[in-house]
Amino acid sequence: MARGGVQIRLERLPMELYTYFRSSAAYRVRIVLGLKGITAEQHAIHLVRDGGEQHREDYKALNPSQLVPTLLDDGQAITQSLAICEYLEERYPQPPLLPPDALGRARVRSLALTVACDMHPLNNLRVLQYLGNQLHIADDARNQWYRHWMETGLQALETMLAKSAETGRFCHGDTPTLADICLVPQLYNARRYAIDLTPYPTLLDVDAACCALPAFAQAAPERQPDAA
């Protein structure tokens, strides 16, 4: 529609998600989309093929960090998985992924950030590639690095959940929150590296409750079109 010589667009552009089936950060966003019933057109960015499609110039223009995920909403790019999750929480507040009270929200964010800030960056693909390709660290030592930081973080999470009366079927109470959205992909990564999860019974109980929900099950890496 034109008004006074200015073109006015009335319809929003469709939501799009740039993702990779094994990216735990993209996995988080897929879970949120499922929980909130939001449809987003997915574009696969293969992080390994041809040296990593995230390094292509067209994708770099969209996300200068050359990471996934990237969400496009009405043509505007949003990067960083937790920023995307909280953006979706604000735009689509039902069902809520954060508790109504300030202390509860702080606890959920603390659990989520233990994964997203303390664990995941140390074990991210580009870190592992740098350890191997630039520092020439052998696979065994690199895997030891991975297991050390994974187990350190999982033990912290287990303690945080096991000692708290706020822990329910899920990390916080009896409905999924941002904490669960971060925990489940991290446990998926741990299983890929054959990490023994028996020392973390509380985490396993929460993981089982989450994975019984369709939104979590449908967001799983093996269910994604680019997993083939």
Side-chain angles (χ1 to χ4, degrees), residues 21-83:
F21 76 107
R22 277 187 177 154
S23 163
S24 57
Y27 191 173
R28 298 168 195 158
V29 175
R30 294 196 302 264
I31 294 169
V32 174
L33 291 171
L35 286 171
K36 292 185 176 292
I38 303 168
T39 299
E41 181 181 355
Q42 294 196 18
H43 305 287
I45 300 294
H46 202 291
L47 301 186
V48 179
R49 182 188 299 140
D50 299 327
E53 294 176 352
Q54 70 275 25
H55 305 307
R56 292 185 330 219
E57 290 301 319
D58 59 339
Y59 187 72
K60 193 189 304 186
L62 191 64
N63 186 336
S65 295
Q66 302 169 60
L67 298 169
V68 292
T70 300
L71 184 77
L72 283 185
D73 191 21
D74 202 28
Q76 299 298 308
I78 308 167
T79 63
Q80 294 295 336
S81 64
L82 291 192

Side-chain angles (χ1 to χ4, degrees), residues 58-142:
D58 59 339
Y59 187 72
K60 193 189 304 186
L62 191 64
N63 186 336
S65 295
Q66 302 169 60
L67 298 169
V68 292
T70 300
L71 184 77
L72 283 185
D73 191 21
D74 202 28
Q76 299 298 308
I78 308 167
T79 63
Q80 294 295 336
S81 64
L82 291 192
I84 294 170
C85 291
E86 295 226 25
Y87 169 77
L88 294 172
E89 173 75 353
E90 292 176 7
R91 278 214 62 211
Y92 305 91
Q94 298 300 323
L97 300 178
L98 289 168
D101 60 299
L103 279 175
R105 291 193 296 274
R107 179 175 183 266
V108 165
R109 288 186 172 113
S110 176
L111 292 165
L113 292 170
T114 297
V115 174
C117 293
D118 294 348
M119 299 174 66
H120 180 238
L122 291 167
N123 291 333
N124 202 1
L125 175 64
R126 64 178 180 173
V127 171
L128 299 178
Q129 288 177 334
Y130 186 81
L131 291 174
N133 298 337
Q134 275 69 43
L135 301 185
H136 308 295
I137 293 174
D139 287 348
D140 286 347
R142 188 173 54 176

